[in-house]
Amino acid sequence: MFKRISIHDAKKFLDQGDAQFVDIRDEMSYQQGHIPTAAPLNQGNLQQWMTAADLDKPVLVCCYHGNSSQPAAQFLFEKGFEQVYSIDGGFEAWRGVYETQNSNDI
């Protein structure tokens, strides 16, 4: 089962560099801002991402408000990822507290 995680605890994972972040929002929203290191994840690249991802490394899933990320996190858990988290409040909560990164800066 996936777990829910606060943006503050998610930031700790980010700072430690010990997790895989994915963003399931639409491409335009992702390009306007996202959590640093977060990979855009959608139906078009899901299989490719899953093939390259580390099953043993935590996965943190971000959406707009923390709702859509929950079924996505459960899906990844069921596909064999051991530690999967849905970020409570999603990107909107993250953006309200932490700086964002435009895809042009990557």
Side-chain angles (χ1 to χ4, degrees):
M1 182 83 177
F2 77 93
K3 297 176 183 165
R4 294 171 63 176
I5 190 170
S6 72
I7 58 170
H8 304 293
D9 288 338
K11 179 77 163 60
K12 291 176 187 174
F13 272 105
L14 180 67
D15 292 343
Q16 294 168 356
D18 193 31
Q20 305 165 97
F21 283 77
V22 295
D23 190 321
I24 63 168
R25 297 174 304 138
D26 67 89
E27 184 178 341
M28 181 179 279
S29 297
Y30 176 84
Q31 288 181 6
Q32 291 174 349
H34 57 271
I35 296 172
T37 76
L41 190 62
N42 56 53
Q43 291 295 333
N45 69 357
L46 176 63
Q47 198 60 46
Q48 179 183 359
W49 181 85
M50 286 179 50
T51 301
D54 185 343
L55 289 172
D56 298 323
K57 196 171 184 182
V59 178
L60 284 77
V61 183
C62 178
C63 65
Y64 292 98
H65 301 286
N67 298 317
S68 299
S69 58
Q70 293 180 39
Q74 183 62 31
F75 172 82
L76 292 173
F77 177 79
E78 290 171 1
K79 292 297 181 183
F81 291 89
E82 293 184 15
Q83 297 178 64
V84 185
Y85 300 90
S86 169
I87 300 174
D88 281 344
F91 182 71
E92 292 302 315
W94 181 279
R95 179 170 60 182
V97 176
Y98 302 111
E99 290 184 39
T100 62
Q101 179 172 354
N102 293 324
S103 61
N104 298 337
D105 298 336
I106 296 176

